[in-house]
Amino acid sequence: MEKNLPYEEIRRRFAESKDFNEIFDAVEEAIRQRIEDIELYRLLFWNNSLSAEAIAMFGEKIASEFPSIAYDIYMWLASVFEVVYSKFDNYEGALKFYKKASSVRPQEIDPYLDAVDCYDPDLNIPPAELLIEFLLEGLKHVRTPKPIYQRLCALHRAIGNEEMARYYEQKMKEI
């Protein structure tokens, strides 16, 4: 591994390199230098030469090394998987990283709502049941439950459970 790569070289490799080993060395060097710059890592996550597995591996490593930016890392990984890899994994990767973001900051509402925004009712992907379970977990932590009740209502309606849809409509009115 090359030592003491300048920041600009790490940045260049994240943005432009097509060589996995070169990128890997840059990630290791960024961690060694304790660089906690989410903007820098966004370049890495959008590098289209990397596989989904490589992006996930790098993201997990960076998040574990820098807990202060782990939430942002997971949210970015989710958005990358939502946009780039959804056609291959039916949003499983995006949902996985939204769940990881919510585990870092369970009170933040965005991971819950963004996960539901991935839902395709015609194909039921990600599965509505998984999204409902995730939203119910979010209800335990968020400060403003109304948006989650709205999503629960819509999901239940999409899967034909009118009784539960009405239940969550009622819950919205009680707030």
Side-chain angles (χ1 to χ4, degrees):
M1 181 174 83
E2 299 171 55
K3 295 279 188 209
N4 301 322
L5 290 175
Y7 180 90
E8 283 308 314
E9 177 59 14
I10 294 171
R11 182 179 170 77
R12 185 200 65 76
R13 288 183 184 191
F14 284 1
E16 300 170 12
S17 182
K18 306 280 185 245
D19 182 291
F20 177 84
N21 292 326
E22 192 176 75
I23 297 168
F24 183 88
D25 288 347
V27 170
E28 291 290 309
E29 183 62 12
I31 290 169
R32 192 186 69 73
Q33 291 182 27
R34 306 305 299 161
I35 299 173
E36 293 189 45
D37 180 356
I38 188 66
E39 298 304 320
L40 176 67
Y41 296 118
R42 286 179 183 167
L43 295 173
L44 171 67
F45 301 144
W46 286 111
N47 183 319
N48 62 10
S49 74
L50 294 172
S51 68
E53 295 79 16
I55 290 171
M57 177 190 73
F58 288 141
E60 296 276 2
K61 174 76 171 155
I62 294 162
S64 72
E65 291 285 335
F66 304 117
S68 65
I69 61 171
Y71 174 83
D72 295 315
I73 295 288
Y74 290 136
M75 289 297 285
W76 267 98
L77 287 170
S79 65
V80 168
F81 273 77
E82 188 176 336
V83 172
V84 179
Y85 297 105
S86 61
K87 64 181 174 275
F88 304 113
D89 76 357
N90 293 332
Y91 295 103
E92 290 171 21
L95 183 57
K96 170 184 153 185
F97 289 113
Y98 285 129
K99 286 181 175 184
K100 286 182 175 279
S102 74
S103 72
V104 173
R105 291 191 199 159
Q107 73 284 2
E108 293 289 333
I109 201 165
D110 289 341
Y112 307 105
L113 302 183
D114 291 354
V116 175
D117 290 344
C118 293
Y119 182 63
D120 182 332
D122 295 329
L123 301 174
N124 191 36
I125 51 175
E129 295 75 18
L130 289 179
L131 293 170
I132 290 168
E133 184 180 299
F134 185 47
L135 289 174
L136 291 174
E137 184 61 32
L139 278 176
K140 299 174 187 173
H141 304 285
V142 299
R143 292 179 208 76
T144 53
K146 188 172 184 173
I148 290 184
Y149 287 143
Q150 291 170 325
R151 298 303 199 290
L152 284 165
C153 178
L155 280 172
H156 281 290
R157 195 156 275 136
I159 61 172
N161 189 339
E162 195 57 41
E163 182 181 341
M164 288 305 293
R166 283 194 302 274
Y167 171 80
Y168 288 111
E169 277 179 346
Q170 186 58 42
K171 295 292 273 181
M172 284 188 287
K173 292 175 185 172
E174 293 171 7
I175 296 175

